[in-house]
Amino acid sequence: MFAACSRPADKPAFRAIDITGAEYARRLELPDAEGKPRSLTDFAGKVTVVFFGYTQCPDVCPSTMAELAEVKRSLGPDGARVQGVFVSVDPERDTPELLKAYMTGFDPSFVALRGTPEQTAAVAREFKVFISKVPAKDGNPKHYTVDHTAGSYVFDAKGRVRLFVRYGSGAQALADDLKILLKENA
């Protein structure tokens, strides 16, 4: 009687939103903080977590990156098969030097990507990520925040987008989902 409500036996029980087969978030091509062109294929063989943010973010961005670093450490040796990727939504202020220092503060293996404003906008469209500059009340054009989608995209070791992780889901939920994906390619 409840068969239509149950999950197929071969479908993993993810805690995040399963977007396997999505027609978006399939291409990511931007330079890293060294200026080297990067794409999702560079991380083949690893479960990759992509987060869009900016270094001057007061809360969501640093807490997301810290949580990812914590999850990676909690996975022990399997953590080496997890790649964190930070995509700057503020290429005007996020200089390569700033991005390198920011990533090292969380995990030296994390990669920061930074494109031109036009490249960033194109990647945001591909990922359906919302980005909007919010001017400061003081009127100074250099003082602003950036509203942006606050979730992470998780790709399996074959480079396929699998999950969208909502901000605030927690380290344990992310760790559980990454373990499932790591087992698929063990």
Side-chain angles (χ1 to χ4, degrees):
M1 178 164 133
F2 294 104
C5 296
S6 65
R7 176 177 38 79
D10 61 340
K11 188 168 170 103
F14 292 117
R15 295 177 70 183
I17 300 167
D18 187 343
I19 59 171
T20 301
E23 295 295 319
Y24 59 93
R26 295 181 295 176
R27 292 187 63 229
L28 176 59
E29 296 174 357
L30 289 171
D32 65 17
E34 302 290 334
K36 177 183 173 188
R38 294 296 202 111
S39 71
L40 289 169
T41 58
D42 293 334
F43 311 114
K46 292 186 175 191
V47 172
T48 303
V49 182
V50 176
F51 178 75
F52 290 76
Y54 67 113
T55 62
Q56 301 202 23
C57 177
D59 45 27
V60 172
C61 302
S63 61
T64 298
M65 297 312 294
E67 185 174 277
L68 179 55
E70 174 190 335
V71 166
K72 186 175 173 180
R73 283 190 301 275
S74 77
L75 294 171
D78 282 340
R81 297 189 302 134
V82 173
Q83 178 64 57
V85 176
F86 181 88
V87 179
S88 173
V89 298
D90 188 12
E92 295 169 43
R93 293 186 297 189
D94 286 346
T95 65
E97 297 76 26
L98 186 57
L99 286 167
K100 285 183 226 173
Y102 191 71
M103 288 298 95
T104 300
F106 298 108
D107 185 301
S109 74
F110 287 177
V111 173
L113 304 179
R114 174 186 177 267
T116 64
E118 296 77 21
Q119 289 171 318
T120 302
V123 168
R125 279 191 301 277
E126 170 64 20
F127 277 74
K128 298 185 182 284
V129 168
F130 171 81
I131 302 171
S132 178
K133 262 190 192 179
V134 179
K137 294 182 181 181
D138 67 7
N140 185 332
K142 292 183 180 183
H143 299 165
Y144 59 88
T145 58
V146 182
D147 286 347
H148 60 91
T149 301
S152 301
Y153 294 85
V154 180
F155 294 79
D156 64 20
K158 293 179 182 172
R160 298 174 301 191
V161 66
R162 299 292 300 275
L163 304 172
F164 179 77
V165 182
R166 289 187 176 120
Y167 172 72
S169 296
Q172 190 59 56
L174 179 58
D176 291 346
D177 286 348
L178 294 185
K179 286 175 189 175
I180 292 169
L181 291 173
L182 289 164
K183 276 185 188 173
E184 286 182 359
N185 294 300

